[in-house]
Amino acid sequence: MIFLLLRRFTALAITLLLASIAIFLVLEILPGDPAAIMLGTEAREDTLAALRREMGLDRPAYERYLNWLGGALSGNLGLSMTYKVPVAELVADRLAVTFPLAFLAILISTAMAVPLGVIAAANHERPADHGVMLFSQIGVAIPNFWFGLLLILFFSSYLGWFSAGGFPGWDDPVAALKALLLPAVALALPQAAILARVTRSSVLEVLGEDFVRTARAKGLTRRVALRRHVLRNALIPVVTVMGMQFSFLVAGAILVENVFTLPGLGRLLFQAMSQRDLVVIKDVVLLFAALVIVVNFLVDLAYAWLDPRLRQG
Amino acid sequence: MLEVRNLSVGIATPSGPLALVEEVDFRLEAGRTLGIVGESGSGKSMLALALMGLLPPAARASGSIRLEGDELIGLPEAALCRIRGKRIGMIFQEPMTALNPAMTVGEQIAEGVQWHENLGRRAARARALDLLQRVGIPEAARRLDDYPHQMSGGQRQRVGIAIALACRPRLLIADEPTTALDVTVQAQILDLLRELVAEMGMGLILISHDLGVIAETADDTLVMYAGMPVETGSSAAIFARPAHPYTRGLFLAMPGHAGVPAGAGQRLQTIPGSVPEPGRRPSGCRFADRCAYVIEACRAAVPPWEPLPGGQQARCIRLEELP
Amino acid sequence: MTALRTVVRHPTLNLGGLVTLLLLGTAVVSQVWTPASPTQIQITQRLAPPLQAGLLGADHFGRDLTSLLMVGAWNSLSIAFVAVLLGMAGGVLLGTLAAAWRGWAEEVVMRLADVTFAFPAVLSAIMIAALIGPGATTAVIAIGVFNIPVFARVSRAAALQVWERDFVLAARSAGKGPVLITLHHVLPNIAGLLVVQATIQLALAILAEAGLSFLGVGMPPPHPSWGRMLSDAQTYLSQAPHLAILPGLAIALAVLGLNMLGDGLRDIIDPKLRRKR
Ligand code: SF4
């Protein structure tokens, strides 16, 4: 068990390191002169030189990389060129929007997908099953940012229940949650569609297992056997897929935040791109990538915890 | 205690209903063991599931199954759930897959007790421990919290037996309980089953394709072929004088039997062909296509039961003329 | 014969194929004919609803929406197609080689796949766009890169299975090297699976392309693109809701068709999976 954990941790560290190297290569080495990119072609030579010095471009690449990495690990992410504030501060503010948004979206999609998948499997090849499969096919095909637009169209423009976007801040938690609800639903729908399908096939597979028959032979009703014996075993692959879907959730958050003009990390990244603020881009991309990698790592651990056969490893 | 009359199992197919099991009759008294023997495809597992009321959704059972006087056929699902596990226990063939991999064996044994007898967690656990000792797992207290993958095949089958016995059922159905196990472990499991029947006085239905297993354990024997019983009687009588041509074929195919080299395996080399699938079965005697003694009349109608001395019966019209 | 019959009788496959064909047809036709010029600005019919100007109305510049959608199909498909093709080439190369050589080569490839997996197309597109600006190239690279690990994983897993088969053992004992075996035995045997995966990836790529052009890092104006049409529509949401509805419908339909086609193809290529899907 300890050996297994160590192995996983090493793999995690290596993956994170490789990801940071990739980002550094793309954003600092590939462009040749990042300062020129940030300031554009009309920049004056002395401002350019000043920025180069500020970014430490006169130092060798490996030193810059180590500096950046060390800073990232200690929470010192450098200074944003456009905002003139530490990136760490910017990120912390924006995280207070993006994190709850992602969490809410996962919550909504799981709450929708697992019951739907189980219902479909329990009614295999019957109308309920076909209905869920149809929902899944359509849900997967709908782009979340378009769904967001439709939600705005219906709930804000037509019904007037929600504002069309923006974020009031966490001083008023109810208003904040209300502002996050529609974006979270938009983000959750495609996820729910995929998860429902995975849950269904997983439950179907477990339903066919011998031990379910054993459980029924004990006298458990279909429903109880499903709850006690099928669900836990069926959720193992579902959790894995949830982990794999996390990178799509991140991508979706960037889009949906822009639809609803939420001041989150995705919007920050988008604005940084428009302003060519490579410092912010580098840090936020690293943060997103690290998030995806760490979540996948945690899912791996959860997998081992859910399946006792793997626990002894 | 158990009385089965004219039990049939049919399944609805796009091309009309199809009979899987037909006209099964037998009685089983408490403390006795009935062996049901036949090749795969003889319908014996379907018969077991029909007794449990666990047929696949498309299948229907008709006829009568009376357990201690209560009719089980036509009983609503909720009532069946109160009988399964409580009054009938079942042991399955594959100990590797019949246990839930994500639950400790203790929980799995205790589950039925908690379900049927409303026993608290602690009491159910005590019962599980008791059962685990009873089925011969050494250091049972320590193994109670093991997961199935930590046990050997034989131990898992013992757990399977403990699960089936958890509520002290009056009837135990064991469907090929030893087929998946090593020969030495097979013998131990059969010994255990015999002991338990003697001790707890329940009725046991032992289903197997292996005549050796039946001979060792069963008081009475029912031979099934292509969904229909073809011979029944006391095991002593049948094993001394098998009457039906199919039963005789089975005997000749037994490894170690005179004329057959030991280890010839489960294939019936003395009977050509294989069991016909449902829907491809001949209309008269189901065995007609493979029988060496077949005549025109055999195909005309299903042969009636022919009584033989000592309560033995066989479904063959040519019993007298057979060599 | 039975294979043909399953194809003919398979509703998902048929419907998916039909929608995909329609999409392809529209895209191709748009290159030679559209009802109106997709770039011609006609302020008089600005934001006109469907049927009042052209079949589907006009956008905020008064351009004919039908024509915009048709050309959008071409742009979206061509970017998605090139990106998936690139990703497939890279991924299959890495995946099959990993399976052929095993050992550390496999370890390296899979680790790289893990890393690349952490960069969804939107993320890499933003990085690239910050360097070279938005455009078709940016979109193709970003989507293509994300497809590499997908194909690397799928082809490695499938190739490993082929490597276990008897005819590969025979070829090895006959002295064939790993590269030749991969070319002659592994690739032909995993081709079907790859086609299925490519169909599904194409659907995902169309979604990604729409997302990128929605953010403004895809094909630049005046080339029509579904994603940017949606982002433009945001401003006129209550005045001209059809501008927000129709392009999204086009995306969803395209993705739905390709997904159904992919599912149907998989059923036929791998019938074992049919029960579960
Ligand atoms: S009835 Fe005829 S076919 Fe059937 S077992 Fe007897 S002899 Fe053979």
Side-chain angles (χ1 to χ4, degrees):
Chain A
M1 182 72 196
I2 289 177
F3 180 70
L4 192 80
L5 265 179
L6 266 177
R7 246 190 83 114
R8 293 248 169 91
F9 262 116
T10 324
L12 170 75
I14 293 176
T15 315
L16 282 173
L17 216 60
L18 286 177
S20 67
I21 292 176
I23 296 169
F24 189 79
L25 280 179
V26 171
L27 291 177
E28 291 233 357
I29 308 295
L30 222 55
D33 186 359
I37 291 207
M38 289 172 77
L39 293 177
T41 40
E42 294 106 70
R44 285 179 27 204
E45 192 48 48
D46 52 333
T47 30
L48 258 178
L51 181 63
R52 283 203 196 104
R53 210 164 327 109
E54 196 189 314
M55 288 175 73
L57 291 178
D58 41 358
R59 282 173 296 147
Y62 75 90
E63 203 185 312
R64 269 186 287 148
Y65 170 71
L66 289 179
N67 237 350
W68 174 55
L69 196 67
L73 286 178
S74 60
N76 175 14
L77 295 169
L79 217 59
S80 158
M81 186 197 60
T82 36
Y83 297 90
K84 301 293 177 212
V85 286
V87 180
E89 241 169 65
L90 273 180
V91 165
D93 283 355
R94 306 304 181 98
L95 212 54
V97 176
T98 302
F99 187 74
L101 173 67
F103 185 74
L104 208 58
I106 291 177
L107 215 66
I108 294 173
S109 63
T110 317
M112 273 169 77
V114 171
L116 280 179
V118 171
I119 289 171
N123 298 287
H124 188 41
E125 303 275 273
R126 285 205 285 258
D129 186 19
H130 297 308
V132 171
M133 287 307 274
L134 189 71
F135 158 79
S136 165
Q137 277 284 11
I138 293 174
V140 174
I142 290 182
N144 45 29
F145 55 94
W146 180 51
F147 189 54
L149 277 182
L150 294 184
L151 288 177
I152 293 177
L153 198 60
F154 188 69
F155 287 103
S156 327
S157 306
Y158 181 66
L159 290 177
W161 289 358
F162 292 84
S163 60
F167 188 71
W170 283 105
D171 295 335
D172 181 355
V174 178
L177 276 179
K178 203 177 157 197
L180 288 181
L181 191 61
L182 285 190
V185 169
L187 205 48
L189 176 81
Q191 303 284 326
I194 294 169
L195 280 184
R197 205 193 254 230
V198 174
T199 308
R200 170 185 175 270
S201 60
S202 174
V203 168
L204 271 184
E205 188 156 330
V206 178
L207 272 178
E209 298 267 7
D210 284 353
F211 65 77
V212 178
R213 203 179 45 188
T214 308
R216 298 275 284 131
K218 282 179 202 172
L220 303 193
T221 57
R222 264 178 72 90
R223 192 184 284 258
V224 174
L226 192 74
R227 201 179 62 226
R228 285 203 204 151
H229 290 266
V230 177
L231 274 190
R232 180 175 173 140
N233 285 289
L235 283 183
I236 296 171
V238 176
V239 170
T240 321
V241 172
M242 265 168 91
M244 292 192 326
Q245 287 297 311
F246 193 75
S247 71
F248 289 98
L249 195 76
V250 163
I254 299 175
L255 287 161
V256 166
E257 280 176 9
N258 278 294
V259 175
F260 289 89
T261 50
L262 290 176
L265 274 183
R267 186 121 182 106
L268 175 67
L269 191 60
F270 174 71
Q271 286 159 341
M273 176 196 68
S274 319
Q275 288 141 355
R276 307 205 152 190
D277 190 340
L278 290 190
V279 180
V280 173
I281 295 182
K282 198 169 58 175
D283 291 337
V284 176
V285 168
L286 178 68
L287 190 68
F288 271 134
L291 219 58
V292 171
I293 293 169
V294 169
V295 163
N296 272 296
F297 166 77
L298 290 179
V299 162
D300 252 14
L301 288 191
Y303 197 103
W305 174 72
L306 279 171
D307 190 341
R309 276 168 300 187
L310 289 172
R311 220 178 287 164
Q312 272 75 25
Chain B
M1 181 201 66
L2 178 72
E3 194 169 348
V4 173
R5 284 278 155 262
N6 198 18
L7 177 65
S8 298
V9 177
I11 190 162
T13 70
S15 45
L18 199 62
L20 301 177
V21 175
E22 295 170 88
E23 298 179 31
V24 177
D25 295 89
F26 64 80
R27 292 173 61 91
L28 177 66
E29 297 306 331
R32 289 183 71 85
T33 298
L34 170 71
I36 299 183
V37 70
E39 290 167 273
S40 58
S42 60
K44 54 196 195 311
S45 288
M46 204 47 82
L47 174 60
L49 291 179
L51 294 175
M52 286 299 281
L54 280 180
L55 287 170
R60 283 272 166 287
S62 60
S64 155
I65 303 170
R66 275 181 180 277
L67 178 68
E68 297 173 308
D70 300 331
E71 178 60 53
L72 300 191
I73 298 263
L75 223 52
E77 178 61 26
L80 279 174
C81 281
R82 282 194 291 275
I83 292 174
R84 271 185 227 126
K86 174 81 180 144
R87 292 168 67 186
I88 314 177
M90 182 151 180
I91 303 166
F92 294 96
Q93 174 171 355
E94 284 291 337
M96 296 318 219
T97 54
L99 300 181
N100 185 340
M103 215 186 220
T104 65
V105 296
E107 286 173 303
Q108 295 190 54
I109 300 171
E111 188 175 31
V113 184
Q114 281 173 292
W115 176 250
H116 285 294
E117 302 181 10
N118 270 329
L119 233 53
R121 216 165 231 282
R122 187 171 291 234
R125 192 179 155 87
R127 173 86 69 89
L129 176 64
D130 185 45
L131 281 158
L132 213 52
Q133 282 163 341
R134 191 98 165 241
V135 295
I137 300 248
E139 295 186 80
R142 201 171 54 79
R143 308 301 304 265
L144 207 54
D145 295 316
D146 275 4
Y147 286 92
H149 71 273
Q150 291 163 293
M151 298 188 146
S152 69
Q155 285 175 326
R156 289 190 212 187
Q157 194 55 297
R158 286 174 194 268
V159 171
I161 295 173
I163 290 175
L165 291 179
C167 297
R168 300 183 142 266
R170 301 303 301 139
L171 171 64
L172 192 60
I173 303 173
D175 186 5
E176 304 267 11
T178 59
T179 309
L181 304 173
D182 294 343
V183 186
T184 43
V185 184
Q186 274 192 16
Q188 291 167 8
I189 296 288
L190 287 180
D191 283 344
L192 174 65
L193 281 177
R194 261 196 308 267
E195 267 169 46
L196 289 167
V197 168
E199 207 176 297
M200 301 171 74
M202 64 203 153
L204 171 66
I205 296 179
L206 180 68
I207 297 174
S208 181
H209 68 275
D210 185 344
L211 276 175
V213 168
I214 303 285
E216 256 180 77
T217 321
D219 304 307
D220 301 296
T221 297
L222 181 77
V223 182
M224 296 271 294
Y225 181 80
M228 209 181 256
V230 292
E231 180 159 5
T232 119
S234 73
S235 300
I238 291 185
F239 280 75
R241 275 177 294 100
H244 195 280
Y246 175 63
T247 317
R248 293 183 180 197
L250 276 181
F251 271 86
L252 283 176
M254 245 176 102
H257 187 277
V260 179
Q266 299 164 3
R267 296 283 309 157
L268 301 183
Q269 281 141 338
T270 53
I271 313 177
S274 57
V275 184
E277 285 164 33
R280 296 240 173 91
R281 291 169 179 167
S283 55
C285 173
R286 302 292 192 248
F287 190 51
D289 289 345
R290 295 170 80 188
C291 182
Y293 311 104
V294 61
I295 54 170
E296 205 59 20
C298 301
R299 298 181 185 275
V302 174
W305 284 112
E306 299 286 346
L308 292 158
Q312 194 179 352
Q313 290 182 317
R315 258 187 176 147
C316 172
I317 54 171
R318 301 191 65 195
L319 285 182
E320 250 114 84
E321 304 151 56
L322 295 181
Chain C
M1 225 23 238
T2 45
L4 194 69
R5 196 169 308 143
T6 29
V7 173
V8 172
R9 284 213 193 131
H10 204 292
T12 322
L13 182 76
N14 285 326
L15 207 61
L18 195 76
V19 173
T20 308
L21 243 124
L22 214 73
L23 174 74
L24 283 174
T26 313
V28 170
V29 167
S30 79
Q31 294 304 291
V32 289
W33 175 84
T34 48
S37 160
T39 45
Q40 194 193 352
I41 294 171
Q42 267 190 300
I43 288 303
T44 45
Q45 55 179 37
R46 194 171 176 270
L47 301 179
L51 295 176
Q52 296 200 4
L55 182 65
L56 299 175
D59 76 350
H60 55 297
F61 289 129
R63 292 175 297 191
D64 178 45
L65 198 63
T66 320
S67 312
L68 284 170
L69 285 175
M70 285 175 69
V71 183
W74 172 268
N75 288 339
S76 167
L77 261 183
S78 45
I79 286 182
F81 192 78
V82 176
V84 170
L85 217 59
L86 282 179
M88 182 152 95
V92 172
L93 187 75
L94 290 175
T96 49
L97 288 186
W101 281 324
R102 312 296 306 270
W104 62 267
E106 187 178 23
E107 191 63 30
V108 168
V109 166
M110 291 338 280
R111 198 51 66 224
L112 282 178
D114 277 356
V115 175
T116 327
F117 220 60
F119 294 94
V122 175
L123 213 54
S124 15
I126 286 181
M127 280 205 289
I128 300 166
L131 298 182
I132 63 172
T137 323
T138 302
V140 165
I141 297 176
I143 299 171
V145 164
F146 192 71
N147 271 291
I148 294 177
V150 174
F151 280 101
R153 282 182 181 175
V154 168
S155 57
R156 169 180 160 270
L160 281 179
Q161 280 180 9
V162 179
W163 273 93
E164 299 290 313
R165 305 253 288 268
D166 289 343
F167 57 82
V168 171
L169 282 178
R172 278 171 83 176
S173 50
K176 263 195 188 179
V179 176
L180 273 187
I181 290 182
T182 301
L183 282 178
H184 290 169
H185 299 289
V186 176
L187 280 181
N189 273 293
I190 65 173
L193 195 76
L194 291 178
V195 169
V196 171
Q197 191 66 39
T199 317
I200 290 165
Q201 290 307 118
L202 211 54
L204 282 173
I206 287 181
L207 273 178
E209 192 278 332
L212 294 189
S213 47
F214 181 80
L215 282 180
V217 293
M219 233 179 218
H223 301 286
S225 97
W226 292 341
R228 209 187 39 259
M229 290 165 78
L230 282 176
S231 122
D232 291 342
Q234 255 186 298
T235 323
Y236 313 99
L237 208 50
S238 37
Q239 291 158 272
H242 68 285
L243 292 180
I245 293 173
L246 293 172
L249 222 51
I251 301 170
L253 218 59
V255 175
L256 191 66
L258 280 165
N259 271 337
M260 283 167 78
L261 182 66
D263 281 357
L265 285 176
R266 174 171 33 211
D267 281 357
I268 283 164
I269 288 174
D270 192 355
K272 269 176 297 176
L273 284 169
R274 185 172 305 169
R275 189 182 63 87
K276 281 186 266 164
R277 301 264 157 192

